[in-house]
Amino acid sequence: MNRIILLSFVFLLFISCQSNKKNSTEPDGYIYSVQGKMDISKLGISLTHEHIMSRFGLESSYVPVYLKDSPFMQVIPYLKEVKALGIVSIFDCTTAYFGRDVRLLKEISDSTGMEIITNTGYYAAANDRYVPESAYESTIEEISRIWIEEFENGIDGTDIKPGFIKLGFDNGASDIDSKLFSAGILTHLSTGMTMAVHTGDNPTAVENQLELLEQFKVSPSAIVWVHASNTTDDNLLIETAEKGVWISLDKFKSPATEDYVSRIQLFKEKNLLHKVLLSHDGNSFNGKDQLRGYKAVITHLVPALKENGFSDDEINQLLVLNPKNAFRVEVRNL
Ligand SMILES: [Zn+2]
């Protein structure tokens, strides 16, 4: 464990030196965190798929009911520990109806110094449990207008804006999944926010998403294949990354270290390291059981990558540069 901490520390030293250097591949641009407009250069080491809190498994509710003290007692001390490992930014993937509470996120960000990026969109996985009834009645344009409005004017009467669009597919590609994805494309075209699409092991959904992107003349680089790590088809991952889609290996836990290292190695061999995002799909408060942590990428995966010959530049690419390129606000036309 001491060795892990030491390796993490050396890595962090490297990253802090790096951030002072002008790197020619550094993208310009911005994103919104719950603190406001943020220069993309400030994103730092980022976890691109976590849940600060969510109501997963509980009933859908637009106004999330959390026992007010509990998120604070559990989340704030935990986030302080995560921050001490060098994590600068967390993309919170909890959508509206699934537990998004931007005021609470802002308070948590204020108390911890963690940059938190929240989202717009609807989560159409989990058997559409968190899709509001109105989405079935509304047109694609009407749905996108709600999401664009959040980007332009803020969420729930605050000036807190989303930094990305969260969407989801269940098995295959149902009508509501495709409809919401199309609304996501319209929102992307109007705002430049990237779409993070819960897809998992679902080649039909990937195909459907790529077809729709083409219809709307939007580049595959506008989407993140969320939970791509659930698929066993490495060839499909590589082919899809070659088309430009961001591949999110985002279910990391320490027992999976070897699997993740060999998979990341494969992307490196194919010169596709620049399309990979890493995260845990952790959850620091779900209202019922223990938190699902999100430190292991730093404490276990980074040291293992280094032992397997990954350079500091390559690790910087995975944890700092790729999140910036994936999520900076920009319309990505074909
Ligand atoms: Zn998730």
Side-chain angles (χ1 to χ4, degrees):
M1 192 61 198
N2 283 342
R3 187 147 167 269
I4 287 170
I5 290 168
L6 182 69
L7 281 169
S8 306
F9 181 69
V10 171
F11 166 66
L12 293 176
L13 260 182
F14 166 77
I15 293 288
S16 55
C17 297
Q18 276 301 95
S19 57
N20 295 329
K21 260 195 249 166
K22 195 70 204 158
N23 181 338
S24 57
T25 52
E26 282 289 321
D28 290 329
Y30 72 96
I31 191 165
Y32 286 108
S33 80
V34 296
Q35 297 291 344
K37 193 169 185 175
M38 177 188 189
D39 195 292
I40 203 72
S41 64
K42 303 269 179 352
L43 207 58
I45 303 177
S46 302
L47 297 175
T48 51
H49 189 108
E50 310 296 347
H51 299 269
I52 302 290
M53 62 232 173
S54 84
R55 291 172 52 81
F56 192 75
L58 301 175
E59 75 282 10
S60 170
S61 167
Y62 188 80
V63 181
V65 183
Y66 293 108
L67 291 172
K68 194 74 180 170
D69 285 348
S70 310
F72 282 101
M73 277 159 48
Q74 184 164 303
V75 175
I76 289 176
Y78 187 71
L79 271 189
K80 285 182 177 167
E81 290 170 25
V82 172
K83 189 155 194 328
L85 290 173
I87 309 287
V88 178
S89 302
I90 293 184
F91 288 73
D92 182 67
C93 291
T94 299
T95 57
Y97 299 94
F98 178 30
R100 185 187 66 173
D101 181 338
V102 297
R103 288 183 178 85
L104 201 49
L105 289 179
K106 169 78 165 49
E107 285 179 56
I108 290 170
S109 173
D110 288 344
S111 310
T112 58
M114 186 69 83
E115 290 289 358
I116 299 173
I117 295 105
T118 187
N119 65 81
T120 190
Y122 298 146
Y123 178 66
N127 298 319
D128 305 324
R129 189 172 184 175
Y130 302 104
V131 175
E133 276 305 310
S134 59
Y136 294 88
E137 320 299 329
S138 309
T139 64
I140 291 167
E141 288 75 16
E142 284 165 345
I143 297 165
S144 70
R145 233 172 281 140
I146 296 170
W147 300 345
I148 294 165
E149 158 77 17
E150 291 195 331
F151 179 82
E152 288 177 349
N153 297 316
I155 299 168
D156 296 342
T158 70
D159 57 3
I160 298 168
K161 297 180 174 183
F164 65 106
I165 307 160
K166 178 78 193 294
L167 300 158
F169 281 65
D170 280 309
N171 293 336
S174 70
D175 289 350
I176 189 69
D177 297 347
S178 303
K179 181 180 183 181
L180 292 173
F181 185 78
S182 301
I185 294 178
L186 293 184
T187 308
H188 171 77
L189 283 169
S190 170
T191 65
M193 283 188 289
T194 295
M195 292 173 270
V197 193
H198 173 114
T199 302
D201 185 13
N202 188 348
T204 310
V206 176
E207 208 176 302
N208 182 259
Q209 291 161 27
L210 289 170
E211 274 169 22
L212 287 166
L213 287 169
E214 195 166 336
Q215 273 176 35
F216 285 91
K217 306 265 175 283
V218 172
S219 161
S221 64
I223 63 169
V224 178
W225 179 350
V226 169
H227 310 327
S229 36
N230 284 4
T231 181
T232 47
D233 188 347
D234 284 337
N235 289 335
L236 181 63
L237 289 184
I238 295 294
E239 263 172 42
T240 311
E242 276 166 351
K243 289 177 184 158
V245 172
W246 295 94
I247 303 297
S248 183
L249 306 178
D250 52 25
K251 291 271 187 183
F252 184 72
K253 286 189 178 71
S254 55
T257 302
E258 253 178 64
D259 289 352
Y260 270 67
V261 169
S262 61
R263 214 157 215 190
I264 298 166
Q265 194 85 49
L266 177 67
F267 280 89
K268 182 175 164 178
E269 282 160 20
K270 303 281 182 186
N271 286 322
L272 286 168
L273 214 52
H274 64 288
K275 296 308 299 185
V276 176
L277 299 169
L278 298 174
S279 217
H280 310 80
D281 195 19
N283 189 347
S284 37
F285 188 80
N286 67 6
K288 43 189 178 74
D289 18 79
Q290 290 296 304
L291 66 79
R292 214 164 61 222
Y294 39 90
K295 292 179 184 169
V297 164
I298 298 298
T299 58
H300 290 75
L301 186 55
V302 167
L305 287 170
K306 290 174 86 118
E307 276 168 21
N308 283 276
F310 280 77
S311 68
D312 289 336
D313 271 340
E314 286 165 338
I315 291 165
N316 185 61
Q317 168 104 52
L318 289 163
L319 293 180
V320 180
L321 200 52
N322 291 352
K324 287 180 188 173
N325 277 316
F327 286 97
R328 77 200 155 96
V329 172
E330 181 192 37
V331 177
R332 291 153 171 92
N333 289 118
L334 259 187

